[in-house]
Amino acid sequence: MPAAGSLICPAAAVCLGCGSVRGVLNELPLCLPCARKLVCERFRAERVCPRCLSVMRPGKACPVCSRDREGLILRTYSPYRYRGVARKLILRLKFGGDTRAASLLAPAMADTLGEYRPDVLIPVPLNRRRERERGFNQAELLARLVGASAGIPCMNALVRPRCTKRQSSLKTPAERGRNVLDAFKP
């Protein structure tokens, strides 16, 4: 029995951005202030590289193109800065298992594609153990939602035969690159 004066509310009434109890905002699991912040966290078109679409700092070279000496990266897409409400949604999806966050992130991801339409979306697979721990693959869920929104098929065309360290636990791009080297196969 709850203590006198406590408030009981369903999880669906709690904002995914700030955790406050909220009213329904067009059936989105966000309060109005967090929805506004999420819109403001979108990248502006003038801050992306014209070649690969990576986010750039004003007056600086593209961080992706400058490291891609072989010219292997054709495009990258990132609708949000990794901070604020967008960061909270990503963390809730990946580590909190809250799949509602994917439905908030996917439309902006699909919109970021603009006129570019790949033939297929291929999500990065999780190791079987990690997928069992999480209960789902967040990359696959996002790819399916983006694909449905943009009219692009999604296909599981990769396997991850070996377990790797968590990328978030590694400090440098070189460490992250070595960690996933030969970690995926068709």
Side-chain angles (χ1 to χ4, degrees):
M1 177 121 185
S6 69
L7 178 65
I8 299 173
C9 66
V14 175
C15 173
L16 294 183
C18 66
S20 68
V21 176
R22 58 161 182 85
V24 174
L25 176 65
N26 296 327
E27 301 180 21
L28 295 176
L30 285 177
C31 64
L32 184 58
C34 285
R36 285 183 178 144
K37 287 177 188 172
L38 188 62
V39 169
C40 290
E41 288 167 358
R42 296 274 313 257
F43 284 115
R44 295 198 315 255
E46 67 271 12
R47 292 196 178 161
V48 297
C49 172
R51 177 185 163 262
C52 75
L53 303 179
S54 293
V55 178
M56 295 174 50
R57 292 188 179 174
K60 302 281 183 178
C62 172
V64 173
C65 291
S66 62
R67 286 193 311 256
D68 182 30
R69 290 179 177 81
E70 294 85 19
L72 300 175
I73 297 173
L74 299 178
R75 296 273 190 269
T76 64
Y77 298 92
S78 180
Y80 295 109
R81 296 176 184 100
Y82 186 63
R83 66 180 190 199
V85 176
R87 182 178 185 273
K88 287 177 184 177
L89 291 174
I90 292 165
L91 293 174
R92 286 189 73 109
L93 175 63
K94 279 186 80 169
F95 304 114
D98 197 331
T99 57
R100 295 175 300 163
S103 65
L104 294 170
L105 296 167
M109 294 171 74
D111 184 51
T112 302
L113 293 172
E115 297 298 316
Y116 178 70
R117 288 292 181 261
D119 294 331
V120 66
L121 298 175
I122 300 174
V124 175
L126 285 174
N127 179 271
R128 284 186 221 142
R129 180 179 55 84
R130 285 222 184 92
E131 190 164 350
R132 277 194 306 271
E133 287 171 6
R134 285 193 185 153
F136 66 101
N137 177 350
Q138 75 281 352
E140 180 181 358
L141 175 60
L142 284 167
R144 292 202 181 283
L145 290 171
V146 169
S149 177
I152 303 167
C154 179
M155 180 191 316
N156 288 319
L158 296 173
V159 294
R160 188 177 204 142
R162 68 177 178 87
C163 191
T164 57
K165 293 179 183 175
R166 293 183 190 272
Q167 291 288 84
S168 59
S169 72
L170 304 172
K171 302 209 183 318
T172 67
E175 287 178 309
R176 291 179 178 158
R178 284 190 301 272
N179 187 45
V180 293
L181 188 65
D182 298 326
F184 306 101
K185 296 191 185 296

